[in-house]
Amino acid sequence: MSSVRSVLALGSNLGASNDTLVLAVADLVEPENVRLHAVSPVVRTRPVGGPEQPDYLNMVIEVETSLGPYELLAHCQAVEDKHHRKRTVRWGPRTLDVDIITYGSWTSDDDVLTVPHPRAASRAFVLQPWAWMDAGAELEGRPVAELAAEAADISGLMPFEGV
């Protein structure tokens, strides 16, 4: 199978979030059929939706993979599980969240996997790190940087300098 570039968004707001993101990137690219292509800066963001909860650390990576989209989803979920992800409250706090934002030019709108991610085009915590990682990136025909500037949550986004 040929390789496909995929954009993944990672977020964490429970535990040692920065360490979790670093380890999760390593876990995501551990198998030889997933190679890291680019990494965004980490940002601190206010939660969007869901219950009252701590701020998130978010980032975006681009990988090149020979996994199919559903295999990549299973791999992402296995990495979430490795980092003790619990799915109890929708949009609730989590140790790790990994979303497939794009998978090459492939699209899907089913109950298991929707690609492009259905809310990515309106979320600055995905768009701005992505635009910093790849200034020429587009999502559904629009520049990612332009979409980031229009996102309602852009004012709640701050660069994360680490601890």
Side-chain angles (χ1 to χ4, degrees), residues 5 8 19 27 40-41 46 56 70 72 81-82 101 106 111 129 137 140 150-151 154 157 162:
R5 290 238 175 124
L8 307 177
D19 293 343
D27 291 336
S40 79
R46 294 187 197 121
Y56 277 84
Y70 295 96
L72 181 60
D81 291 345
K82 180 177 179 178
I101 305 303
W106 183 80
D111 294 339
E140 298 180 317
E150 296 171 1
I154 191 71
L157 186 139

Side-chain angles (χ1 to χ4, degrees), residues 15-75:
S17 294
N18 192 47
D19 293 343
T20 298
L21 293 177
V22 169
L23 293 169
V25 170
D27 291 336
L28 286 164
V29 300
E30 181 181 333
E32 63 183 45
N33 53 3
V34 181
R35 292 183 308 280
L36 187 61
H37 182 72
V39 179
S40 79
V42 175
V43 295
R44 181 181 301 280
T45 61
R46 294 187 197 121
V48 175
E52 191 71 28
Q53 57 187 300
D55 287 350
Y56 277 84
L57 293 185
N58 294 95
M59 67 183 301
V60 174
I61 65 173
E62 185 177 39
V63 298
E64 192 165 323
T65 182
S66 59
L67 294 175
Y70 295 96
E71 293 171 306
L72 181 60
L73 176 64
H75 175 57

